[in-house]
Amino acid sequence: MRKRITIILKRIIRALCATNNLKRLGYPGNTKLLIIHADDIGLSSSENAATFDAFKKGMVNSGSVMVNCAAFHEVADFIADKPGIDLGVHLTLTSEWESYKWRPVSPSMEVPGIIDQNGFLHESNAMIKEKVSYGNIEKEFRAQIIKAITSGIDITHLDSHMFTVFSDKKILEIYRSLGREYKLPVLLTKEVPVKTLVQKSEVIVDQLYYAEPKHYRNGLKGYYSSVLQSLRPGLNCILIHMAFDNHEMKQITGNQSGYGSAWRQEDYDYFTGEECSRLLKENNIHLITWREIRDKLIR
């Protein structure tokens, strides 16, 4: 009974938040706002090339950067003549691919609690929780934010690689605290506690969408089209991962199909294609960026 009441309460709060988000942002109450958000920028040259091309084509309007990955340096060149681009920091504590690893931005000797015996970030959220060091996590998150700023990125938001911040309440609070310190919206989802949803100082995405392996098996095109066709009024966000299915990405992702090279090519194809463009128009979906949210509601 208590669980049922909690579920109902969350639904009521989310409905109120949806109306409130639209009102605060200055949109009519029936507006379907959508952020089409590209994760993992900086992961590789293939990831960057596909994402940058999608930005130019207009439907993908936001993204976040993994500053501790090998191709991060390409981002600065891309943004040099694009002052209005919407980029956040994809705060990263995991290095999950078997054949492609990355280290923390902080010197390894300063954050021993977040690295493995080889000096790489841990492979999974479970391993982070097993060896959690909150001081090391905050130091590394801050180092990633500072690196993005010093590289010329006008950060518009913070989010979390592999949803690590939602795996632990204290990590979640570090994440939210950094958002307040740097005056940035942070991506918050239905995973956060009910008490968090009602804090006026934070922006809650009303509905977050992201494809899972079952959607890939059944066809990503069908999943994304169904999302656009059923989108509700409020602040919505779709998380995608774009790259070209080339030798580099195949080397990185290996035989893994989940968020692998072919998956990322499908994401690129759909969100630069005609069906996506058509459904956005037919369903009266208004694209919004984290920059607009930041500047209207946080700063």
Side-chain angles (χ1 to χ4, degrees):
M1 183 66 178
R2 182 177 297 176
K3 183 177 180 181
R4 182 183 175 88
I5 292 173
T6 300
I7 291 172
I8 293 172
L9 181 59
K10 281 189 175 184
R11 287 175 179 172
I12 293 172
I13 292 173
R14 287 187 196 121
L16 292 173
C17 285
T19 302
N20 190 46
N21 277 335
L22 292 172
K23 183 177 180 180
R24 291 171 68 198
L25 288 164
Y27 290 95
N30 62 345
T31 308
K32 301 173 184 178
L33 296 178
L34 178 63
I35 303 168
I36 302 180
H37 188 277
D39 284 3
D40 292 2
I41 302 170
L43 175 69
S44 67
S45 292
S46 174
E47 192 88 23
N48 290 345
T51 305
F52 296 163
D53 188 62
F55 274 133
K56 292 174 184 176
K57 291 180 177 176
M59 288 179 285
V60 179
N61 62 344
S62 181
S64 57
V65 182
M66 301 174 75
V67 304
N68 45 354
C69 288
F72 170 70
H73 67 281
E74 297 175 352
V75 178
D77 293 336
F78 176 72
I79 67 171
D81 60 347
K82 300 172 183 65
I85 196 166
D86 193 66
L87 288 180
V89 179
H90 202 45
L91 294 170
T92 302
L93 290 177
T94 54
S95 179
E96 66 275 13
W97 298 106
E98 184 177 337
S99 62
Y100 177 55
K101 298 291 184 183
W102 46 84
R103 302 176 187 274
V105 171
S106 307
S108 295
M109 65 184 70
E110 295 182 11
V111 288
I114 64 170
I115 57 176
D116 64 18
Q117 66 273 18
N118 297 311
F120 299 115
L121 293 173
H122 290 305
E123 186 176 298
S124 66
N125 288 337
M127 294 178 72
I128 293 170
K129 290 189 72 174
E130 182 182 331
K131 304 179 180 182
V132 69
S133 173
Y134 298 114
N136 287 179
I137 288 171
E138 181 171 359
K139 180 185 284 289
E140 176 59 17
F141 277 175
R142 191 180 300 277
Q144 291 179 21
I145 294 168
I146 292 171
K147 183 174 180 179
I149 293 171
T150 56
S151 297
I153 298 176
D154 180 20
I155 303 172
T156 60
H157 64 288
L158 302 176
D159 57 36
S160 173
H161 185 53
M162 293 183 70
F163 296 124
T164 303
V165 299
F166 300 114
S167 67
D168 182 285
K169 290 181 180 179
K170 289 186 179 179
I171 300 177
L172 177 62
E173 184 47 45
I174 291 169
Y175 169 68
R176 293 168 57 205
S177 177
L178 288 169
R180 292 191 292 269
E181 178 181 341
Y182 286 93
K183 296 182 179 178
L184 297 169
V186 300
L187 175 62
L188 293 174
T189 74
K190 62 184 180 182
E191 302 299 327
V192 298
V194 169
K195 65 179 181 180
T196 302
L197 294 177
V198 297
Q199 292 188 10
K200 293 182 179 180
S201 62
E202 293 172 313
V203 180
I204 311 299
V205 170
D206 299 309
Q207 189 63 53
L208 180 70
Y209 299 94
Y210 54 93
E212 299 178 50
K214 63 182 179 181
H215 302 126
Y216 178 67
R217 290 191 297 270
N218 295 330
L220 290 177
K221 181 177 179 180
Y223 169 70
Y224 291 132
S225 292
S226 69
V227 167
L228 297 180
Q229 289 168 330
S230 61
L231 204 71
R232 291 178 171 274
L235 177 58
N236 302 278
C237 180
I238 300 178
L239 301 182
I240 60 176
H241 305 80
M242 295 183 294
F244 294 124
D245 186 18
N246 58 17
H247 178 71
E248 180 192 30
M249 282 308 299
K250 288 175 180 176
Q251 286 284 99
I252 290 172
T253 62
N255 295 323
Q256 183 171 325
S257 60
Y259 302 102
S261 184
W263 178 317
R264 293 171 190 246
Q265 178 73 58
E266 286 194 38
D267 275 8
Y268 168 82
D269 291 343
Y270 185 84
F271 286 98
T272 57
E274 176 58 34
E275 181 162 348
C276 177
S277 177
R278 176 177 60 80
L279 289 175
L280 289 172
K281 294 175 183 176
E282 288 181 357
N283 291 280
N284 298 312
I285 296 170
H286 181 86
L287 296 181
I288 188 173
T289 63
W290 281 110
R291 179 178 295 278
E292 181 178 345
I293 294 167
R294 183 198 70 179
D295 293 348
K296 284 184 175 180
L297 303 187
I298 307 299
R299 295 185 179 179

